[in-house]
Amino acid sequence: MVQGLTAQLVVSHTYSLPLCMRLRYEPDDPYIVRAAFFPHSDEPVEWVLGRDLLTDGLKGSAGHGDVRIWSAVGRGDQAMYIALGSRAGTALLEVPVQDVKAFLERTEALVPRGTEAGRIDWDVELAHLLSQS
């Protein structure tokens, strides 16, 4: 399942740039959402986000370290903010909260929260981990 949306890359309090964003969810990998950002080319920058992290960010502040998410809806804004950090720098993205909420609702229709573990083939995962050593 894929959803495209327009985010804003926040440059300062008064200036932001539009940025294409794509959210992708695969029921076979039920705990994560892949977020791809297209800054200036067709080559996306992809981040792997926890589905629960995004859901928690709808209700309040969630995450720490490289990924932090919070909603500003309670302050009269209709946005969710995603702060991403790496060795290359940091980025603050403003995303329409209703788009993220609708996307997450569709993921939960596919794989309800709390049932994710039943979707994973643990034998395949274990074989993959063992082959890495």
Side-chain angles (χ1 to χ4, degrees):
M1 179 178 83
V2 176
Q3 178 175 335
L5 52 108
T6 300
Q8 297 292 321
L9 176 62
V10 178
V11 178
S12 71
H13 290 293
T14 58
Y15 184 67
S16 62
L17 298 169
L19 181 69
C20 292
M21 179 177 171
R22 181 184 66 218
L23 298 175
R24 183 169 44 111
Y25 181 75
E26 298 173 8
D28 292 340
D29 204 355
Y31 290 106
I32 67 166
V33 171
R34 295 184 186 282
F37 306 97
F38 298 83
H40 297 293
S41 67
D42 290 336
E43 282 299 313
V45 175
E46 187 173 272
W47 282 73
V48 176
L49 307 173
R51 182 171 73 157
D52 286 346
L53 180 67
L54 279 172
T55 301
D56 292 347
L58 289 173
K59 301 176 236 164
S61 183
H64 54 80
D66 292 344
V67 179
R68 290 175 288 126
I69 301 172
W70 65 95
S71 171
V73 172
R75 296 188 297 262
D77 197 348
Q78 294 302 309
M80 169 182 255
Y81 292 90
I82 302 173
L84 303 171
S86 72
R87 282 181 258 146
T90 60
L92 178 61
L93 303 159
E94 181 180 313
V95 183
V97 73
Q98 289 304 324
D99 291 348
V100 176
K101 185 176 181 182
F103 175 81
L104 289 171
E105 287 170 354
R106 289 196 315 278
T107 71
E108 289 193 34
L110 290 172
V111 181
R113 283 180 82 176
T115 67
E116 295 93 344
R119 303 290 300 222
I120 296 173
D121 186 336
W122 293 106
D123 292 331
V124 169
E125 292 298 322
L126 181 58
H128 176 71
L129 287 173
L130 292 174
S131 72
Q132 301 294 316
S133 2

